[in-house]
Amino acid sequence: MTKYDRKLQARAAAAKQAKKKNILSIVATVAVIACIAALLIGIPVMKNRKLFKEFFRINNKSVSVLEFNFHRTNLINNYAQYLQYFGMSSLDDIETTVYDEEKGTTWGDYFTECAANSIKENRALIADAKEKKVSLDVDAQYKTYMNQIKTQAEAAGMTSDAYLTSMYGAKESQLKSIIKDNLTAVLYSDYLTKTNAAPDEDAQAEYDANKDKYDSVDYRVLSFAPAIPEGAGGEEIEAVKNETKAKAQEMLDKVKAGEDFETLCATYAPEDKRADYADSETDLSLVTGETSSYASGPYSSWLFESARTAGDSTIYTDENSGVHYVLLFEKRYMEDTVLENIKQNLTYTTVTDYINKVSESYVISDPDDNLPTL
């Protein structure tokens, strides 16, 4: 994949994460500790007298600056692996890089909105757990969390309080109730996930109804792009295009005649890449485990046609670019992890719907206009 392809895939992954913000935003406590050494950590430390100042309200109950900082910092660190693909490596970058061009909002605005919603969902889940009288061992989880903080702090040559202050702007005694509230929501979310686990038959039914969505394919491909000389006129351009198409057809004919695809690539690939194609260890023509959701070429519809069988070959022409792709289909199959992933997604949907339902009556108000984009 090219750098551009990887960037697009990262954007798609980030978009997928964004859709999962309900659960993502409450689970971002213990999991992000290992990221604290990255450049994306830390909120500028405020004076202690401002940490407990009201930032906004939920059902007319105050949310402090410190609680907001805690959730927003965790969310930013949880996204760190994606942000680098958008050229962000510092908090300043996050505050200035556009997230939604239509609305004119930045990634900083996005994390602010997510943090506010995270706190709203936490409060709804904590109240629901209490109402349902679900037993949660928060004290044990808090001890585990603080032990992890201590380990990370020692590795950085800091005390636990100094380490927490570098992340959130406050020491343990000031953060304890906020951390415990978050852990309560995390544990209750885990409880909901376990008690609402999708059955195996539902996962199988989803797969059977949407095989194109879940199946993977292996295939071979070589692209033929017309090398049009600079300043070429209409007739010359047409001649180059015809020659390129003829070469692609020539290779396809040989593939259909039984010649080895990989060997042919060493002859028909662009001259500067032939050595790479000739190297059997790199096997550049082979693409494995591709799904319709993350297809790397414009020929996905051909690959996933229901009638496609091993040994099928064709030329796919991208009319927009003029590139011809010689394709050889190897196989179509279901990865071992597919049914388990479907179960997780079905469970996630059920739990998310429940979280949304219990959160409906929790309303964010912003008397000081600290959440202008929400």
PDB file of all heavy atoms in Angstrom, residues 10-32:
ATOM      1  N   ALA A  10      -6.317   4.722   7.516  1.00  0.00           N
ATOM      2  CA  ALA A  10      -6.305   5.259   8.872  1.00  0.00           C
ATOM      3  C   ALA A  10      -7.507   6.166   9.096  1.00  0.00           C
ATOM      4  O   ALA A  10      -8.117   6.160  10.166  1.00  0.00           O
ATOM      5  CB  ALA A  10      -5.012   6.042   9.113  1.00  0.00           C
ATOM      6  N   ARG A  11      -7.850   6.972   8.074  1.00  0.00           N
ATOM      7  CA  ARG A  11      -9.019   7.843   8.196  1.00  0.00           C
ATOM      8  C   ARG A  11     -10.291   7.008   8.373  1.00  0.00           C
ATOM      9  O   ARG A  11     -11.157   7.335   9.181  1.00  0.00           O
ATOM     10  CB  ARG A  11      -9.136   8.735   6.965  1.00  0.00           C
ATOM     11  CG  ARG A  11     -10.231   9.801   7.088  1.00  0.00           C
ATOM     12  CD  ARG A  11     -10.360  10.587   5.786  1.00  0.00           C
ATOM     13  NE  ARG A  11      -9.168  11.330   5.468  1.00  0.00           N
ATOM     14  CZ  ARG A  11      -8.902  12.541   5.942  1.00  0.00           C
ATOM     15  NH1 ARG A  11      -9.744  13.136   6.762  1.00  0.00           N
ATOM     16  NH2 ARG A  11      -7.805  13.175   5.593  1.00  0.00           N
ATOM     17  N   ALA A  12     -10.393   5.911   7.619  1.00  0.00           N
ATOM     18  CA  ALA A  12     -11.552   5.039   7.739  1.00  0.00           C
ATOM     19  C   ALA A  12     -11.608   4.412   9.122  1.00  0.00           C
ATOM     20  O   ALA A  12     -12.678   4.299   9.725  1.00  0.00           O
ATOM     21  CB  ALA A  12     -11.507   3.956   6.664  1.00  0.00           C
ATOM     22  N   ALA A  13     -10.442   4.005   9.634  1.00  0.00           N
ATOM     23  CA  ALA A  13     -10.397   3.418  10.966  1.00  0.00           C
ATOM     24  C   ALA A  13     -10.779   4.429  12.031  1.00  0.00           C
ATOM     25  O   ALA A  13     -11.495   4.123  12.981  1.00  0.00           O
ATOM     26  CB  ALA A  13      -8.997   2.864  11.243  1.00  0.00           C
ATOM     27  N   ALA A  14     -10.305   5.662  11.869  1.00  0.00           N
ATOM     28  CA  ALA A  14     -10.651   6.720  12.820  1.00  0.00           C
ATOM     29  C   ALA A  14     -12.146   7.008  12.789  1.00  0.00           C
ATOM     30  O   ALA A  14     -12.771   7.241  13.826  1.00  0.00           O
ATOM     31  CB  ALA A  14      -9.861   7.988  12.505  1.00  0.00           C
ATOM     32  N   ALA A  15     -12.727   6.995  11.579  1.00  0.00           N
ATOM     33  CA  ALA A  15     -14.171   7.218  11.457  1.00  0.00           C
ATOM     34  C   ALA A  15     -14.944   6.110  12.159  1.00  0.00           C
ATOM     35  O   ALA A  15     -15.961   6.349  12.811  1.00  0.00           O
ATOM     36  CB  ALA A  15     -14.565   7.298   9.985  1.00  0.00           C
ATOM     37  N   LYS A  16     -14.435   4.875  12.026  1.00  0.00           N
ATOM     38  CA  LYS A  16     -15.077   3.750  12.684  1.00  0.00           C
ATOM     39  C   LYS A  16     -14.994   3.912  14.194  1.00  0.00           C
ATOM     40  O   LYS A  16     -15.954   3.653  14.915  1.00  0.00           O
ATOM     41  CB  LYS A  16     -14.389   2.450  12.256  1.00  0.00           C
ATOM     42  CG  LYS A  16     -15.060   1.198  12.780  1.00  0.00           C
ATOM     43  CD  LYS A  16     -14.369  -0.032  12.233  1.00  0.00           C
ATOM     44  CE  LYS A  16     -15.029  -1.304  12.743  1.00  0.00           C
ATOM     45  NZ  LYS A  16     -14.362  -2.521  12.226  1.00  0.00           N
ATOM     46  N   GLN A  17     -13.838   4.366  14.685  1.00  0.00           N
ATOM     47  CA  GLN A  17     -13.683   4.618  16.115  1.00  0.00           C
ATOM     48  C   GLN A  17     -14.632   5.715  16.586  1.00  0.00           C
ATOM     49  O   GLN A  17     -15.188   5.640  17.671  1.00  0.00           O
ATOM     50  CB  GLN A  17     -12.240   5.028  16.417  1.00  0.00           C
ATOM     51  CG  GLN A  17     -11.250   3.893  16.327  1.00  0.00           C
ATOM     52  CD  GLN A  17     -11.362   2.939  17.490  1.00  0.00           C
ATOM     53  OE1 GLN A  17     -12.221   2.063  17.510  1.00  0.00           O
ATOM     54  NE2 GLN A  17     -10.514   3.091  18.463  1.00  0.00           N
ATOM     55  N   ALA A  18     -14.808   6.723  15.755  1.00  0.00           N
ATOM     56  CA  ALA A  18     -15.679   7.837  16.125  1.00  0.00           C
ATOM     57  C   ALA A  18     -17.105   7.359  16.348  1.00  0.00           C
ATOM     58  O   ALA A  18     -17.810   7.845  17.235  1.00  0.00           O
ATOM     59  CB  ALA A  18     -15.652   8.911  15.045  1.00  0.00           C
ATOM     60  N   LYS A  19     -17.550   6.401  15.545  1.00  0.00           N
ATOM     61  CA  LYS A  19     -18.894   5.866  15.695  1.00  0.00           C
ATOM     62  C   LYS A  19     -19.045   5.090  16.993  1.00  0.00           C
ATOM     63  O   LYS A  19     -20.154   4.874  17.468  1.00  0.00           O
ATOM     64  CB  LYS A  19     -19.228   4.959  14.505  1.00  0.00           C
ATOM     65  CG  LYS A  19     -19.363   5.705  13.186  1.00  0.00           C
ATOM     66  CD  LYS A  19     -19.675   4.758  12.056  1.00  0.00           C
ATOM     67  CE  LYS A  19     -19.788   5.502  10.732  1.00  0.00           C
ATOM     68  NZ  LYS A  19     -20.056   4.579   9.591  1.00  0.00           N
ATOM     69  N   LYS A  20     -17.912   4.657  17.562  1.00  0.00           N
ATOM     70  CA  LYS A  20     -17.947   3.880  18.785  1.00  0.00           C
ATOM     71  C   LYS A  20     -17.662   4.734  20.021  1.00  0.00           C
ATOM     72  O   LYS A  20     -17.285   4.229  21.054  1.00  0.00           O
ATOM     73  CB  LYS A  20     -16.919   2.742  18.717  1.00  0.00           C
ATOM     74  CG  LYS A  20     -17.249   1.673  17.689  1.00  0.00           C
ATOM     75  CD  LYS A  20     -16.248   0.540  17.778  1.00  0.00           C
ATOM     76  CE  LYS A  20     -16.614  -0.578  16.815  1.00  0.00           C
ATOM     77  NZ  LYS A  20     -15.690  -1.722  16.913  1.00  0.00           N
ATOM     78  N   LYS A  21     -17.852   6.031  19.904  1.00  0.00           N
ATOM     79  CA  LYS A  21     -17.394   6.927  20.971  1.00  0.00           C
ATOM     80  C   LYS A  21     -18.094   6.687  22.297  1.00  0.00           C
ATOM     81  O   LYS A  21     -17.546   6.984  23.346  1.00  0.00           O
ATOM     82  CB  LYS A  21     -17.570   8.386  20.549  1.00  0.00           C
ATOM     83  CG  LYS A  21     -19.009   8.824  20.374  1.00  0.00           C
ATOM     84  CD  LYS A  21     -19.070  10.280  19.949  1.00  0.00           C
ATOM     85  CE  LYS A  21     -20.501  10.754  19.776  1.00  0.00           C
ATOM     86  NZ  LYS A  21     -20.564  12.141  19.352  1.00  0.00           N
ATOM     87  N   ASN A  22     -19.315   6.130  22.284  1.00  0.00           N
ATOM     88  CA  ASN A  22     -20.014   5.901  23.548  1.00  0.00           C
ATOM     89  C   ASN A  22     -19.196   5.016  24.481  1.00  0.00           C
ATOM     90  O   ASN A  22     -18.912   5.383  25.612  1.00  0.00           O
ATOM     91  CB  ASN A  22     -21.374   5.248  23.290  1.00  0.00           C
ATOM     92  CG  ASN A  22     -22.351   6.209  22.655  1.00  0.00           C
ATOM     93  OD1 ASN A  22     -22.213   7.405  22.793  1.00  0.00           O
ATOM     94  ND2 ASN A  22     -23.319   5.680  21.941  1.00  0.00           N
ATOM     95  N   ILE A  23     -18.833   3.811  23.996  1.00  0.00           N
ATOM     96  CA  ILE A  23     -18.071   2.903  24.826  1.00  0.00           C
ATOM     97  C   ILE A  23     -16.613   3.313  24.885  1.00  0.00           C
ATOM     98  O   ILE A  23     -15.984   3.255  25.933  1.00  0.00           O
ATOM     99  CB  ILE A  23     -18.210   1.455  24.319  1.00  0.00           C
ATOM    100  CG1 ILE A  23     -19.636   0.963  24.593  1.00  0.00           C
ATOM    101  CG2 ILE A  23     -17.207   0.536  24.990  1.00  0.00           C
ATOM    102  CD1 ILE A  23     -19.900  -0.446  24.148  1.00  0.00           C
ATOM    103  N   LEU A  24     -16.067   3.771  23.774  1.00  0.00           N
ATOM    104  CA  LEU A  24     -14.665   4.176  23.732  1.00  0.00           C
ATOM    105  C   LEU A  24     -14.382   5.236  24.788  1.00  0.00           C
ATOM    106  O   LEU A  24     -13.374   5.194  25.470  1.00  0.00           O
ATOM    107  CB  LEU A  24     -14.329   4.731  22.350  1.00  0.00           C
ATOM    108  CG  LEU A  24     -12.917   5.260  22.152  1.00  0.00           C
ATOM    109  CD1 LEU A  24     -11.920   4.127  22.211  1.00  0.00           C
ATOM    110  CD2 LEU A  24     -12.808   5.988  20.838  1.00  0.00           C
ATOM    111  N   SER A  25     -15.291   6.165  24.950  1.00  0.00           N
ATOM    112  CA  SER A  25     -15.036   7.295  25.830  1.00  0.00           C
ATOM    113  C   SER A  25     -15.038   6.914  27.299  1.00  0.00           C
ATOM    114  O   SER A  25     -14.451   7.605  28.113  1.00  0.00           O
ATOM    115  CB  SER A  25     -16.073   8.396  25.583  1.00  0.00           C
ATOM    116  OG  SER A  25     -17.378   7.911  25.809  1.00  0.00           O
ATOM    117  N   ILE A  26     -15.692   5.798  27.658  1.00  0.00           N
ATOM    118  CA  ILE A  26     -15.697   5.431  29.073  1.00  0.00           C
ATOM    119  C   ILE A  26     -14.667   4.371  29.407  1.00  0.00           C
ATOM    120  O   ILE A  26     -14.373   4.120  30.556  1.00  0.00           O
ATOM    121  CB  ILE A  26     -17.086   4.938  29.530  1.00  0.00           C
ATOM    122  CG1 ILE A  26     -17.480   3.675  28.778  1.00  0.00           C
ATOM    123  CG2 ILE A  26     -18.128   6.014  29.395  1.00  0.00           C
ATOM    124  CD1 ILE A  26     -18.731   3.028  29.327  1.00  0.00           C
ATOM    125  N   VAL A  27     -14.099   3.737  28.386  1.00  0.00           N
ATOM    126  CA  VAL A  27     -13.135   2.684  28.618  1.00  0.00           C
ATOM    127  C   VAL A  27     -11.706   3.211  28.562  1.00  0.00           C
ATOM    128  O   VAL A  27     -10.760   2.465  28.722  1.00  0.00           O
ATOM    129  CB  VAL A  27     -13.340   1.541  27.594  1.00  0.00           C
ATOM    130  CG1 VAL A  27     -12.342   0.435  27.776  1.00  0.00           C
ATOM    131  CG2 VAL A  27     -14.738   0.966  27.749  1.00  0.00           C
ATOM    132  N   ALA A  28     -11.548   4.498  28.360  1.00  0.00           N
ATOM    133  CA  ALA A  28     -10.220   5.059  28.098  1.00  0.00           C
ATOM    134  C   ALA A  28      -9.468   5.432  29.361  1.00  0.00           C
ATOM    135  O   ALA A  28      -8.877   6.485  29.444  1.00  0.00           O
ATOM    136  CB  ALA A  28     -10.354   6.277  27.202  1.00  0.00           C
ATOM    137  N   THR A  29      -9.463   4.576  30.362  1.00  0.00           N
ATOM    138  CA  THR A  29      -8.736   4.895  31.580  1.00  0.00           C
ATOM    139  C   THR A  29      -7.447   4.093  31.681  1.00  0.00           C
ATOM    140  O   THR A  29      -6.375   4.576  31.371  1.00  0.00           O
ATOM    141  CB  THR A  29      -9.602   4.625  32.817  1.00  0.00           C
ATOM    142  OG1 THR A  29     -10.789   5.386  32.729  1.00  0.00           O
ATOM    143  CG2 THR A  29      -8.875   5.043  34.080  1.00  0.00           C
ATOM    144  N   VAL A  30      -7.539   2.830  32.067  1.00  0.00           N
ATOM    145  CA  VAL A  30      -6.347   2.018  32.256  1.00  0.00           C
ATOM    146  C   VAL A  30      -5.614   1.787  30.944  1.00  0.00           C
ATOM    147  O   VAL A  30      -4.398   1.788  30.884  1.00  0.00           O
ATOM    148  CB  VAL A  30      -6.725   0.664  32.898  1.00  0.00           C
ATOM    149  CG1 VAL A  30      -5.488  -0.216  33.039  1.00  0.00           C
ATOM    150  CG2 VAL A  30      -7.349   0.895  34.267  1.00  0.00           C
ATOM    151  N   ALA A  31      -6.348   1.615  29.868  1.00  0.00           N
ATOM    152  CA  ALA A  31      -5.742   1.236  28.590  1.00  0.00           C
ATOM    153  C   ALA A  31      -4.793   2.282  28.037  1.00  0.00           C
ATOM    154  O   ALA A  31      -3.921   1.957  27.244  1.00  0.00           O
ATOM    155  CB  ALA A  31      -6.829   0.937  27.566  1.00  0.00           C
ATOM    156  N   VAL A  32      -4.957   3.530  28.429  1.00  0.00           N
ATOM    157  CA  VAL A  32      -4.132   4.580  27.822  1.00  0.00           C
ATOM    158  C   VAL A  32      -2.860   4.882  28.591  1.00  0.00           C
ATOM    159  O   VAL A  32      -2.054   5.680  28.141  1.00  0.00           O
ATOM    160  CB  VAL A  32      -4.930   5.898  27.677  1.00  0.00           C
ATOM    161  CG1 VAL A  32      -6.152   5.691  26.822  1.00  0.00           C
ATOM    162  CG2 VAL A  32      -5.279   6.479  29.027  1.00  0.00           C
TER     163      VAL A  32
END
